[in-house]
Amino acid sequence: GAVVSQHPSRVICKSGTSVKIECRSLDFQATTMFWYRQFPKQSLMLMATSNEGSKATYEQGVEKDKFLINHASLTLSTLTVTSAHPEDSSFYICSARRKNSNQPQHFGDGTRLSIL
Amino acid sequence: ILNVEQSPQSLHVQEGDSTNFTCSFPSSNFYALHWYRWETAKSPEALFVMTLNGDEKKKGRISATLNTKEGYSYLYIKGSQPEDSATYLCASYSGSARQLTFGSGTQLTVLP
């Protein structure tokens, strides 16, 4: 069964709306979670690394004020797309890792975000 | 190689055929190479995590090899079945990247 739960799976909303996406590790404590974005026919692009109890580490070119990440517990990280615009429409997917980078990442099912 | 590259981008094979595809990655500062299978409407599922040069891993009809000196990994599927149809992603911790860097994937379709 799934070890990482992500919801909602799909969001359609008007421009200017803020959208929150949740990522939960179900059966293990994840001190580190990752948020990716994927455009059609492209690879998963890491947006930020979410660290429990501390600030997220954002990749170059990702606006931290636009994509707010909160990792308040060992099982939950949230990504909020603030004041979303059509160009933010994309597929967002989270993953969690059990221990170190030799362990595989466990992914959520992803969220398809469409901004009208 | 500066990025993770996968080839081919897509392929169609007949049921029963064996197939393979390639992942190229930066060979410098290599740490680990991951393979994932991503079926439509599901989440990516980890297949292998490989760290040692020359390593070969196997899971049922799927196997993978790793060459860290030249920066490539092959994924093999023996006797492809329709349920093998998926996008196969590789990702590496190597080069200048601080985190896992994904390729664009190889989309496999196995025709019955």
Side-chain angles (χ1 to χ4, degrees):
Chain A
V3 295
V4 173
S5 172
Q6 180 177 347
H7 73 91
S9 59
R10 185 166 178 86
V11 179
I12 302 174
C13 57
K14 294 181 179 179
S15 183
T17 306
S18 291
V19 178
K20 180 186 280 189
I21 304 169
E22 291 189 351
C23 182
R24 292 180 185 274
S25 59
L26 299 180
D27 65 350
F28 66 99
Q29 294 182 334
T31 55
T32 304
M33 291 185 175
F34 304 92
W35 288 97
Y36 296 88
R37 182 174 181 175
Q38 185 187 37
F39 291 107
K41 299 189 184 299
Q42 295 188 22
S43 58
L44 294 175
M45 297 299 296
L46 181 65
M47 298 175 65
T49 302
S50 172
N51 305 296
E52 187 270 336
S54 64
K55 292 182 179 180
T57 304
Y58 289 82
E59 296 301 302
Q60 189 174 11
V62 179
E63 299 176 57
K64 61 181 180 181
D65 294 331
K66 175 73 171 178
F67 299 100
L68 299 178
I69 290 173
N70 185 284
H71 194 155
S73 77
L74 285 170
T75 59
L76 174 64
S77 176
T78 61
L79 168 68
T80 301
V81 184
T82 61
S83 187
H85 289 93
E87 59 266 28
D88 298 322
S89 298
S90 189
F91 182 77
Y92 295 86
I93 190 168
C94 70
S95 71
R97 195 177 64 198
R98 289 178 187 269
K99 291 182 181 177
N100 58 43
S101 55
N102 276 358
Q103 298 294 318
Q105 293 187 12
H106 300 279
F107 286 85
D109 288 340
T111 299
R112 176 73 58 190
L113 176 63
S114 300
I115 307 298
L116 306 177
Chain B
I1 298 288
L2 297 179
N3 297 310
V4 179
E5 299 173 0
Q6 291 187 248
S7 63
Q9 189 172 40
S10 66
L11 78 161
H12 293 71
V13 302
Q14 290 294 137
E15 182 175 357
D17 287 351
S18 294
T19 186
N20 66 84
F21 18 95
T22 306
C23 173
S24 300
F25 54 87
S27 56
S28 62
N29 302 317
F30 175 82
Y31 191 68
L33 189 284
H34 294 215
W35 280 101
Y36 294 85
R37 176 170 60 201
W38 195 356
E39 296 180 65
T40 302
K42 294 185 178 180
S43 57
E45 172 197 358
L47 290 173
F48 306 112
V49 177
M50 308 174 79
T51 57
L52 299 176
N53 184 45
D55 202 5
E56 180 172 347
K57 294 205 172 183
K58 191 174 181 181
K59 188 176 184 179
R61 293 179 291 100
I62 303 176
S63 61
T65 60
L66 180 66
N67 183 320
T68 62
K69 295 185 187 300
E70 296 181 41
Y72 64 84
S73 175
Y74 294 132
L75 189 80
Y76 301 90
I77 302 178
K78 185 178 179 181
S80 303
Q81 299 297 309
E83 57 264 31
D84 295 330
S85 298
T87 296
Y88 290 82
L89 297 173
C90 75
S92 78
Y93 281 101
S94 62
S96 58
R98 294 177 292 110
Q99 294 292 353
L100 205 58
T101 302
F102 282 83
S104 299
T106 293
Q107 186 174 9
L108 173 67
T109 303
V110 181
L111 305 170

